[in-house]
Amino acid sequence: MAGAITNLLSNYTSLSYKVTPLWNNVICSLITVIYVKAILTIGAKLRDRLRCAYKSRKLVHMGAACWILFWPLFDVSHWTWRLNILVPTVMGIKLVYKGAILNNPNDVDVRTMSRSSSPSELLWGPLQFTIFMMWIGTQKFMTLEGSILVAALGIGDGLAPIIGRYYGNLKYRFPMSRQKSIEGSFFGVFLGTVGGIYVFNRMLGLRDLSVQSMVCCGAIATFAEAIAPGDCDNVFIPLVMHFSITHYPWLMK
């Protein structure tokens, strides 16, 4: 089976050169690097212009989640399809270095991905998210579960605080969790998860889930986000979703 780069060359140019699966995957991994670099650059500019950390954080959060849209470009006939996790792997190492060793509050990544320009914050949510991406990219590559989990954590959890900040009037809080809003939970997590599942499945070429399954997945994600302890939502939400899908397979019908 020809890789995405070979198909691109043959369909849109006069070149008939066949790219090997190895080089196809190397090129595709570099494309993901360029994409995430662009997201980080836009996030940094947004942080400087608006002087609002949470907007840049959530832009990077949701933009990074959309990295799975590049999955179909990789050729699974060669083991190098695992290079799809090149970006989260490098970012994970970078976050550990900047959060635990460099410790510079004026660093671009610290200002873009933290709430209060504290380097140590990179070792919580952002690092958890990169570890999640590495796990998804190797264990749930091109699967329905992978699409569902990224929709819940990447889109649903990304939209919730933005909607909650602007429109959240009905506040609530569970023990050990941060304060949430009904508006953020419903319009952000629930609808974001449902919409994300639909879009990701379509873009990845996966089969559509039933409306009932998407609604149930959205409800589970909303509940998980609501009770997630402290700064552990980037670990707690995927765990709850994975446990639910594993024990109730009908969620993927």
Side-chain angles (χ1 to χ4, degrees), residues 88-104:
T89 301
V90 173
M91 281 301 299
I93 296 172
K94 191 176 179 182
L95 291 172
V96 171
Y97 172 69
K98 292 190 174 184
I101 300 174
L102 187 61
N103 206 30
N104 179 10

Side-chain angles (χ1 to χ4, degrees), residues 57-75:
R57 288 179 64 250
K58 291 308 172 182
L59 170 69
V60 172
H61 183 97
M62 291 186 285
C66 291
W67 132 95
I68 71 167
L69 296 177
F70 294 94
W71 280 357
L73 300 180
F74 289 87
D75 191 332

Side-chain angles (χ1 to χ4, degrees), residues 157 160 172-182 184-185 189 218-241 243-244:
D157 185 55
Y172 69 93
R173 182 176 184 177
F174 283 95
M176 298 179 65
S177 69
R178 292 180 178 276
Q179 187 180 67
K180 316 285 183 179
S181 71
I182 296 294
S185 294
V189 184
I220 294 170
T222 302
F223 177 71
E225 192 269 346
I227 66 172
D231 293 319
C232 298
D233 52 343
N234 286 351
V235 172
F236 189 78
I237 295 174
L239 285 176
V240 171
M241 295 298 295
F243 176 85
S244 300

Side-chain angles (χ1 to χ4, degrees), residues 72-91:
L73 300 180
F74 289 87
D75 191 332
V76 295
S77 67
H78 196 273
W79 66 268
T80 50
W81 63 264
R82 294 177 178 84
L83 285 174
N84 78 87
I85 66 164
L86 174 64
V87 170
T89 301
V90 173
M91 281 301 299

Side-chain angles (χ1 to χ4, degrees), residues 3-236:
I5 304 303
T6 297
N7 290 334
L8 181 66
L9 291 175
S10 61
N11 293 337
Y12 297 99
T13 72
S14 59
L15 299 176
S16 59
Y17 180 74
K18 184 177 181 180
V19 179
T20 64
L22 168 63
W23 281 108
N24 178 89
N25 293 339
V26 169
I27 293 171
C28 290
S29 67
L30 293 178
I31 291 174
T32 65
V33 171
I34 295 171
Y35 166 74
V36 173
K37 178 62 176 176
I39 292 295
L40 291 172
T41 300
I42 294 172
K45 291 185 180 299
L46 186 66
R47 171 70 171 81
D48 292 337
R49 176 168 296 184
L50 301 180
R51 298 186 182 280
C52 186
Y54 81 91
K55 289 183 180 179
S56 64
R57 288 179 64 250
K58 291 308 172 182
L59 170 69
V60 172
H61 183 97
M62 291 186 285
C66 291
W67 132 95
I68 71 167
L69 296 177
F70 294 94
W71 280 357
L73 300 180
F74 289 87
D75 191 332
V76 295
S77 67
H78 196 273
W79 66 268
T80 50
W81 63 264
R82 294 177 178 84
L83 285 174
N84 78 87
I85 66 164
L86 174 64
V87 170
T89 301
V90 173
M91 281 301 299
I93 296 172
K94 191 176 179 182
L95 291 172
V96 171
Y97 172 69
K98 292 190 174 184
I101 300 174
L102 187 61
N103 206 30
N104 179 10
N106 295 316
D107 182 85
V108 174
D109 289 334
V110 173
R111 298 178 68 234
T112 302
M113 291 184 279
S114 66
R115 293 187 180 91
S116 59
S117 294
S118 173
S120 62
E121 287 187 28
L122 299 184
L123 303 176
W124 288 94
L127 182 59
Q128 292 170 14
F129 194 73
T130 59
I131 294 173
F132 164 75
M133 291 170 70
M134 287 186 277
W135 178 71
I136 284 288
T138 54
Q139 303 302 313
K140 303 298 177 182
F141 181 77
M142 290 299 293
T143 64
L144 283 172
E145 183 178 349
S147 172
I148 293 169
L149 266 61
V150 175
L153 182 60
I155 307 303
D157 185 55
L159 286 173
I162 297 177
I163 294 175
R165 180 177 287 262
Y166 284 104
Y167 306 104
N169 296 316
L170 303 174
K171 306 291 186 179
Y172 69 93
R173 182 176 184 177
F174 283 95
M176 298 179 65
S177 69
R178 292 180 178 276
Q179 187 180 67
K180 316 285 183 179
S181 71
I182 296 294
E183 295 85 354
S185 294
F186 179 76
F187 293 102
V189 184
F190 179 74
L191 294 184
T193 299
V194 172
I197 291 172
Y198 180 80
V199 172
F200 284 156
N201 286 354
R202 282 300 179 96
M203 296 295 289
L204 295 177
L206 303 173
R207 66 175 174 83
D208 290 333
L209 295 182
S210 67
V211 174
Q212 178 185 358
S213 294
M214 290 193 293
V215 167
C216 288
C217 287
I220 294 170
T222 302
F223 177 71
E225 192 269 346
I227 66 172
D231 293 319
C232 298
D233 52 343
N234 286 351
V235 172
F236 189 78

